Amino acid sequence: QAFFCLLLCIPWSSSCPPSCQCTERAGAKAVLCSSQHLEEIPKDIPRDVVFLKLDANSITRIPSNAFRHLSHLEEIDLSRNAIEKIDRAAFKGVAAGLRSLDLSGNRIRSIPKEALLALKAKLRLANNPWHCECALQEVLWEARLDLDSVQDITCHTAPRQEYVGKPLLQVLDAGVNLCSVRQRTMDVAMFITMFGWFAMVIVYVVCYVRHNREDSCRHGHYLRSLPSAQAHAE
């Protein structure tokens, strides 16, 4: 019982993930996991960490609640990884206290706006193969982006070829509204769908009328043949 009690009294902050270095900077705990070939975010990060460096690894995804237990976290560096997917609730639990988030130099093409718009942190999103779309436009206008890197948010793909290779800010400054482009695309798709249904209804009505007309003709011929048939019987 004494040994079990001793284990409970050991603070979680005394542990450190393998391949990482845990230090203190100005009295704040820092976990340094740079260039350690990590493929996912470590599960055993101390709860009282304030600065977390995970840069230059091979992380491909930020799952939901990845940092939820790290209530003291203020800075996250995830730059120069291979991140392609970020879940909507990736930063749930740390959004209020986070001051800096670096996602530059990854493989991010799109990101759920819900994942970033709740953050008060300064964001670095440069040097990713972005698909310029409405959600990215909303992030650019509403999130707190690092001003030194905002020009490096470039359209790798876009709804129109003329936007490809240009900084997203330059595209938007030219008066382009990517959200209205998406709305027009949806309107066209809706119009095509409605036209298809309308054409099907017209075809059905025409076939129905033609079928009834043929039945009526056959029935008329039959009725006209009845008197001659009765007279022949007499």
Side-chain angles (χ1 to χ4, degrees):
Q1 290 180 345
F3 178 72
F4 182 72
C5 180
L6 180 62
L7 287 179
L8 290 179
C9 292
I10 297 176
W12 286 103
S13 59
S14 63
S15 64
C16 193
S19 303
C20 297
Q21 180 183 0
C22 296
T23 63
E24 287 195 19
R25 291 163 47 186
K29 299 292 177 63
V31 176
L32 313 178
C33 308
S34 305
S35 304
Q36 296 299 316
H37 307 290
L38 299 175
E39 296 183 356
E40 60 181 18
I41 297 169
K43 300 291 193 298
D44 48 357
I45 299 173
R47 293 177 177 271
D48 55 352
V49 62
V50 176
F51 305 102
L52 177 60
K53 287 185 64 65
L54 294 165
D55 55 303
N57 283 291
S58 302
I59 298 170
T60 59
R61 178 191 175 198
I62 308 178
S64 296
N65 302 310
F67 309 100
R68 188 171 186 174
H69 63 292
L70 308 178
S71 58
H72 299 279
L73 202 54
E74 295 183 6
E75 295 184 15
I76 306 176
D77 186 353
L78 283 159
S79 62
R80 295 181 296 147
N81 274 276
I83 298 171
E84 296 181 352
K85 180 175 176 56
I86 299 177
D87 291 357
R88 294 177 183 275
F91 304 103
K92 187 175 182 179
V94 297
L98 204 61
R99 294 191 294 107
S100 176
L101 173 61
D102 193 342
L103 293 169
S104 60
N106 280 281
R107 300 175 184 172
I108 307 170
R109 297 189 70 251
S110 62
I111 189 170
K113 62 180 181 180
E114 296 85 357
L116 297 182
L117 293 184
L119 296 175
K120 299 179 181 179
K122 182 178 290 186
L123 301 175
R124 296 182 66 88
L125 303 176
N127 301 318
N128 281 286
W130 290 107
H131 174 64
C132 290
E133 57 182 349
C134 181
L136 183 58
Q137 174 181 315
E138 291 177 342
V139 168
L140 188 66
W141 289 144
E142 300 182 34
R144 293 185 60 228
L145 296 179
D146 182 81
L147 296 179
D148 294 332
S149 65
V150 69
Q151 285 290 348
D152 294 322
I153 301 176
T154 303
C155 297
H156 185 73
T157 56
R160 298 179 61 173
Q161 187 64 30
E162 62 191 86
Y163 306 150
V164 175
K166 294 183 178 180
L168 177 57
L169 191 61
Q170 178 182 336
V171 172
L172 298 179
D173 283 344
V176 176
N177 188 335
L178 297 172
C179 294
S180 65
V181 169
R182 183 182 67 175
Q183 185 61 45
R184 285 198 301 270
T185 303
M186 292 176 62
D187 290 343
V188 170
M190 182 67 70
F191 174 78
I192 293 174
T193 301
M194 292 178 64
F195 180 79
W197 278 107
F198 182 72
M200 290 176 61
V201 170
I202 293 298
V203 171
Y204 173 80
V205 170
V206 170
C207 292
Y208 179 79
V209 170
R210 182 176 297 175
H211 178 73
N212 284 350
R213 182 178 297 174
E214 291 174 353
D215 284 348
S216 298
C217 290
R218 284 195 297 268
H219 187 63
H221 289 309
Y222 173 73
L223 291 177
R224 284 195 297 272
S225 68
L226 288 179
S228 59
Q230 291 175 357
H232 186 269
E234 291 175 355

